[in-house]
């Protein structure tokens, strides 16, 4: 089959297409209903199927004779160690930790929050939750205590699993004080916490609440996987929206398992036994899908890397890992390769390693900018494949499928829609855009298996955020266009979300934090182009009348406030005091225009602007600072 034929069959008859693909996984009870509506009128896949995702990722392979194969390689330049787990070893650890969770009173449907660095216990805990039908919610380690608290209140976990510390390059980041503070801040209190004590920073445990991972593992009994419905939630993963309250993206078990298994061969060209490395973090969707679930459900060897692309110890780190473990496919974010290129522009360090097993590279998380694409292609001589996806979809919405013949690459394009995703571009009137005309990128319903069925505990928000703007379509929040050959170009968010070093952040949320400072009357936070991180946030702040502050001191206080409330990953490093903010006559801040001025882009003065002279003032301010 060619791409076009496969794609067309998935769009014209999704039920037959996904019925056939459901055969890729070992169900306890095969679904007889493929696509149906739930009680909220929302699409759901495989409603009467029964399975267990932990069984598929572990026990199934042991039954197929792969028990001795390496399932997980933990490669940690942060601790100078490498550990390997066979499928049998990993299954045993998961089964015992599932038993430990059970002993702590966690049962099917209960939530478990994970606040973990990139250590094997994170993967074990995720799979242990899946084994007993509990719903995990992993919170990225770079988030501050208050962000963790918001997620604890929304997910209401019975148990939280964490570690005493994470290690960032050579800095030890103590997680336990952040966890304690988050529990203090949250209204909901977990019954228990399980803490992995790492030798780099042993922490104190709260009596009757906190348990040492090793202690509870020592007395646990192994638990077998329990059957769950395809539509039962596997996990919740919070992602930034336009407000301070993150959205709890729900992932179900059945559609997810099918999409993960299918995508490994069709999108990535990977088969059981292959070594696959997603250089991301388990706190992000890429980590969930392609460090943990898809490679393990497929019977691959997955790499868990606790390090950075640079400085651990150098810009050859990625090539070293590929060489040491015989990686076939590497998946990372463009920002990681920009960091490598900056430190090693001629890729000299790459020459030290045997990359003969490496067949291709996949990039996502932000647009793959053509210079980074060209550099990577030239230096590696391998196919470099951009693909576009989101936390919400869980897998690629557009890609260049290796499972079919690879299509010619157009730098800057994520190529074509993935099977099952009926991607369209609509203009502001909700009509299909012409080729090369930019508009809102949407997906005609139904979304394929693996995509979010709803927002945790908030179906009205799911509908208003994603489904209400264009009737019958899922709103991606990204803008872009198709060219005349059907290649899709994703050009950036159409909402207040920015992408900093592959991390998705809400400028609206940063505005809430900055605006909470006692000196600030009003503010606008927007993302400006950054050569390394893609975008970084900048704040324009208006002082309350009569406030007299030192500009630099205020800036430092605001930077610290964002670090404390959101986390260091926000990279908020600049705040400028201004006299006025450009607004429409109805009072809406013109963020897009501010960003265009800061980036030195051509812009049209919006017809609704209240006072156009503010824009000229801003141009002066930005050029004075060396921006624009
Ligand atoms: N736990 C605690 N703190 C963390 C953290 C974690 N898991 N991850 C990042 N941080 C902190 C960093 O220590 C840093 O703190 P600092 O301001 O005190 O130095 C801050 O958050 C910003 O970190 P980062 O964005 O990683 O910037 P950097 O300059 O250290 O590194 C890159 C830049 C490009 C090398 C790095 O961002 C990177 O590897 N990006 C790839 C991202 C990625 O894979 N995304 C997944 C999408 S596929
Ligand atoms: P996240 O939910 O954190 O994975 O971020 C998803 C967002 O990242 C998308 O909505 C896009 O804005 C951006 N993104 C991810 N991959 C790509 C890509 N290949 N090209 C362009 N933008 C991308």
């Amino acid at each position: 089959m060619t791409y076009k034929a496969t794609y067309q069959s998935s769009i014209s008859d999704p039920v037959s297409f996904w019925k056939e693909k459901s055969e890729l996984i070992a169900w306890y009870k095969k679904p007889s209903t493929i696509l149906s509506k739930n009680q909220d009128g929302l699409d759901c896949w495989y409603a009467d199927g029964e399975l267990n995702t932990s069984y598929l990722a572990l026990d199934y392979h042991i039954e197929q004779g792969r028990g001795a194969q390496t399932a997980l390689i933990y490669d940690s330049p942060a601790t100078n160690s490498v550990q390997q787990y066979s499928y049998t070893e990993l299954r045993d650890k998961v089964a015992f930790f599932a038993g430990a969770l059970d002993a702590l009173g966690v049962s099917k449907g209960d939530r478990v929050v994970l606040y973990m660095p990139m250590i094997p216990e994170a993967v074990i805990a995720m799979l242990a939750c899946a084994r007993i039908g509990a719903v995990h919610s992993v919170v990225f380690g770079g988030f501050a205590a208050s962000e963790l608290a918001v997620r604890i209140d929304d997910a209401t976990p019975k148990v939280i699993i964490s570690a005493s510390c994470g290690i960032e390059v050579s800095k030890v980041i103590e997680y336990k004080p952040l966890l304690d503070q988050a529990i203090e801040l949250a209204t909901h209190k977990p019954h228990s916490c399980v803490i992995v004590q790492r030798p780099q920073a042993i922490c104190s445990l709260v009596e009757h609440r906190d348990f040492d991972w090793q202690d509870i593992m020592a007395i646990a009994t192994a638990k077998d996987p329990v059957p769950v419905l395809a539509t039962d939630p596997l996990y919740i993963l919070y992602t930034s929206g336009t407000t301070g309250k993150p959205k709890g993206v729900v992932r179900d078990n059945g559609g997810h398992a099918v999409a993960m298994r299918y995508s490994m061969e069709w999108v990535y060209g990977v088969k059981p036994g292959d070594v696959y490395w997603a250089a991301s973090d388990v706190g992000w969707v890429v980590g969930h899908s392609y460090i943990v679930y898809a490679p393990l459900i497929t019977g691959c060897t997955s790499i868990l890397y606790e390090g950075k692309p640079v400085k651990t110890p150098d810009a050859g780190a990625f090539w070293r890992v590929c060489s040491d473990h015989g990686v076939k496919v590497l998946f990372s974010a463009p920002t990681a390769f920009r960091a490598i290129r900056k430190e090693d522009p001629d890729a000299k360090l790459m020459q030290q390693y045997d990359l003969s097993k490496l067949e291709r590279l996949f990039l996502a998380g932000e647009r793959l900018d053509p210079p980074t694409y060209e550099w990577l292609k030239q230096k590696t001589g391998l196919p470099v494949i951009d693909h576009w996806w989101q936390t919400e979809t869980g897998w690629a919405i557009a890609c260049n499928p290796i499972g079919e013949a690879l299509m010619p690459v157009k730098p800057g394009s994520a190529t074509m829609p993935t099977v099952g995703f009926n991607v369209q571009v609509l203009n502001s009137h909700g009509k299909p855009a012409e080729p090369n005309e930019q508009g809102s990128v949407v997906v005609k319903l139904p979304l394929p298996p693996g995509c979010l069925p709803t927002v945790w505990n908030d179906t009205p928000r799911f509908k208003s955020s994603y489904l209400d703007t264009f009737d019958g379509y899922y709103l991606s929040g990204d803008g872009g266009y198709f060219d005349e050959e059907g290649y899709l170009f994703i050009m950036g968010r159409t909402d207040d979300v920015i992408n900093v070093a592959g991390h998705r952040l809400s400028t609206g949320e940063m505005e809430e934090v900055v605006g909470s400072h006692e000196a600030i009357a009003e503010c606008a936070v927007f993302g400006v182009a950054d050569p390394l991180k893609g975008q970084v946030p900048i704040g324009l702040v208006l002082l309350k009348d009569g406030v007299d502050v030192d500009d630099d001191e205020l800036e430092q206080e605001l930077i610290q406030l964002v670090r404390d409330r959101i986390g260091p990953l926000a990279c908020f490093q600049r705040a400028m005091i201004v006299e006025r903010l450009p607004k429409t006559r109805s009072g809406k801040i013109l963020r897009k225009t501010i960003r265009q001025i800061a980036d030195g882009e051509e812009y049209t003065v919006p017809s609704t602007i209240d006072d156009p002279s503010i824009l000229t003032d801003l141009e002066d301010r930005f050029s004075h600072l060396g921006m624009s």
Side-chain angles (χ1 to χ4, degrees):
M1 288 261 261
T2 61
Y3 159 77
K4 279 215 163 78
T6 315
Y7 179 72
Q8 271 318 322
S9 70
S10 76
I11 300 302
S12 58
D13 187 0
V15 170
S16 303
F17 185 88
W18 291 111
K19 182 177 187 340
E20 186 198 315
K21 301 306 168 211
S22 72
E23 301 287 335
L24 290 168
I25 62 162
W27 299 85
Y28 291 148
K29 178 177 169 250
K30 286 190 182 187
S32 57
T33 305
I34 303 302
L35 177 62
S36 55
K37 297 273 182 204
N38 65 14
Q39 70 279 11
D40 295 312
L42 299 169
D43 295 317
C44 54
W45 290 98
Y46 311 125
D48 60 348
E50 286 180 24
L51 74 164
N52 182 283
T53 300
S54 172
Y55 165 80
L56 294 177
L58 300 164
D59 311 62
Y60 172 75
H61 303 301
I62 299 165
E63 289 167 14
Q64 301 297 307
R66 291 192 171 275
Q69 184 200 305
T70 304
L72 190 71
I73 300 175
Y74 165 58
D75 185 307
S76 169
T79 57
N80 211 8
S81 61
V82 175
Q83 280 167 28
Q84 309 212 352
Y85 298 81
S86 69
Y87 270 96
T88 304
E89 285 164 342
L90 191 61
R91 193 272 317 266
D92 290 349
K93 294 226 178 282
V94 168
F96 277 100
F97 194 64
L101 287 175
D102 181 62
L104 291 172
V106 177
S107 48
K108 196 163 159 178
D110 287 338
R111 273 79 55 214
V112 175
V113 162
L114 275 68
Y115 185 58
M116 303 281 272
M118 287 282 285
I119 54 177
E121 287 82 355
V123 178
I124 293 166
M126 288 165 80
L127 291 165
C129 290
R131 200 166 186 84
I132 56 173
V135 182
H136 63 69
S137 185
V138 184
V139 179
F140 179 64
F143 276 120
S146 47
E147 287 290 326
L148 179 56
V150 170
R151 287 155 175 80
I152 292 173
D153 275 336
D154 198 68
T156 59
K158 213 172 228 180
V159 170
I160 301 183
I161 303 161
S162 189
S164 56
C165 67
I167 303 159
E168 279 291 296
V169 189
S170 50
K171 256 185 320 188
V172 172
I173 314 232
E174 294 194 25
Y175 277 30
K176 188 61 180 6
L178 297 171
L179 173 65
D180 288 341
Q181 198 192 336
I183 294 174
E184 182 85 35
L185 288 170
T187 311
H188 171 84
K189 310 290 176 198
H191 292 182
S192 338
C193 298
V194 180
I195 310 294
V196 180
Q197 291 281 18
R198 305 188 79 189
Q200 293 78 9
I202 299 287
C203 63
S204 57
L205 301 181
V206 175
E207 220 181 330
H208 306 304
R209 187 197 75 183
D210 297 347
F211 299 90
D212 185 313
W213 173 286
Q214 283 192 355
D215 293 347
I216 60 161
M217 279 293 259
I219 53 166
T221 45
K223 270 295 267 182
D224 283 336
V226 302
V228 299
L229 279 174
T231 50
D232 282 339
L234 170 68
Y235 68 77
I236 308 166
L237 181 57
Y238 288 88
T239 191
S240 299
T242 46
T243 67
K245 190 170 185 283
K247 287 189 279 239
V249 166
V250 175
R251 194 82 58 214
D252 62 11
N253 275 274
H256 173 252
V258 173
M260 292 298 97
R261 181 66 187 87
Y262 177 63
S263 67
M264 283 304 267
E265 290 191 29
W266 198 76
V267 177
Y268 301 99
V270 165
K271 295 199 162 30
D274 286 341
V275 183
Y276 182 92
W277 178 25
S280 179
D281 189 289
V282 288
W284 305 117
V285 66
V286 174
H288 281 65
S289 292
Y290 293 106
I291 295 175
V292 184
Y293 288 112
L296 296 181
I297 289 174
T298 306
C300 295
T301 298
S302 182
I303 299 198
L304 182 76
Y305 174 67
E306 189 182 29
K308 294 267 175 181
V310 293
K311 299 195 171 63
T312 55
D314 58 29
F318 273 22
W319 316 127
R320 195 270 302 156
V321 174
C322 289
S323 162
D324 282 1
H325 307 301
V327 171
K328 176 174 173 180
V329 169
L330 166 61
F331 173 0
S332 194
T335 187
F337 291 104
R338 288 198 296 271
I340 293 171
R341 184 184 57 177
K342 187 161 169 253
E343 303 220 343
D344 183 20
D346 298 322
K348 290 206 178 88
L349 293 166
M350 192 192 285
Q351 312 311 322
Q352 299 174 9
Y353 301 101
D354 172 10
L355 297 180
S356 55
K357 297 238 172 77
L358 188 61
E359 291 186 11
R360 61 196 85 98
L361 291 94
F362 284 85
L363 283 296
E366 54 175 322
R367 180 166 178 261
L368 173 56
D369 51 296
T372 306
Y373 166 77
E374 299 292 355
W375 183 83
L376 257 180
K377 177 140 188 57
Q378 197 217 338
K379 298 300 176 201
T380 61
L382 297 172
V384 175
I385 303 166
D386 185 11
H387 60 330
W388 167 57
W389 52 302
Q390 312 182 305
T391 305
E392 288 84 345
T393 61
W395 62 302
I397 316 166
C399 66
N400 195 344
I402 194 84
E404 309 278 344
L406 208 58
M407 287 178 265
V409 170
K410 290 196 186 182
S413 166
T415 315
M416 300 210 185
T418 305
V419 288
F421 288 92
N422 187 348
V423 179
Q424 304 197 8
V425 176
L426 301 181
N427 63 24
S428 52
H429 307 294
K431 298 272 175 287
E434 296 296 321
N436 298 312
E437 184 193 355
Q438 280 209 37
S440 289
V441 185
V442 297
V443 185
K444 193 166 189 307
L445 299 176
L447 290 167
C451 299
L452 82 169
T454 190
V455 166
W456 180 250
N457 262 344
D458 205 346
T459 293
R461 191 169 181 204
F462 172 63
K463 291 182 175 167
S464 64
S465 303
Y466 300 108
L467 305 183
D468 288 352
T469 310
F470 298 110
D471 192 26
Y473 295 88
Y474 163 83
L475 181 75
S476 73
D478 280 308
Y481 62 92
F482 279 110
D483 73 4
E484 52 293 314
E485 287 183 302
Y487 278 68
L488 181 62
F489 290 75
I490 298 297
M491 302 309 289
R493 300 288 304 191
T494 54
D495 53 15
D496 296 333
V497 167
I498 59 170
N499 204 307
V500 180
H503 307 146
R504 175 169 156 183
L505 298 164
S506 159
T507 52
E509 182 176 11
M510 285 188 227
E511 284 175 6
E512 282 176 30
V513 172
V514 171
S516 71
H517 188 285
E518 57 189 10
I520 307 297
E522 205 177 2
C523 68
V525 176
F526 58 99
V528 286
D530 179 82
L532 175 65
K533 299 196 173 187
Q535 281 186 303
V536 287
I538 293 199
L540 296 186
V541 300
L542 222 82
L543 299 184
K544 284 182 184 155
D545 285 348
V547 168
D548 182 21
V549 285
D550 176 83
D551 289 17
D552 291 341
E553 256 175 46
L554 177 68
E555 185 175 52
Q556 286 315 313
E557 282 173 25
L558 294 174
I559 291 170
Q560 195 54 45
L561 200 60
V562 175
R563 279 182 80 88
D564 292 347
R565 297 261 193 90
I566 297 179
L569 85 160
C571 293
F572 181 83
Q573 274 154 11
R574 194 170 241 183
M576 288 161 54
I577 299 176
V578 291
E579 305 285 311
R580 305 172 294 171
L581 289 170
K583 288 187 180 173
T584 61
R585 281 187 286 276
S586 59
K588 204 166 170 280
I589 298 172
L590 291 160
R591 289 185 184 75
K592 184 174 169 204
T593 315
I594 305 176
R595 181 194 60 73
Q596 286 174 316
I597 298 174
D599 282 344
E601 284 176 16
E602 294 274 325
Y603 67 96
T604 37
V605 177
S607 56
T608 51
I609 194 164
D610 185 35
D611 176 1
S613 71
I614 305 179
L615 300 182
T616 332
D617 288 355
L618 272 184
E619 280 182 33
D620 288 348
R621 286 293 300 273
F622 288 142
S623 62
H624 184 67
L625 285 168
M627 296 164 63
S628 85

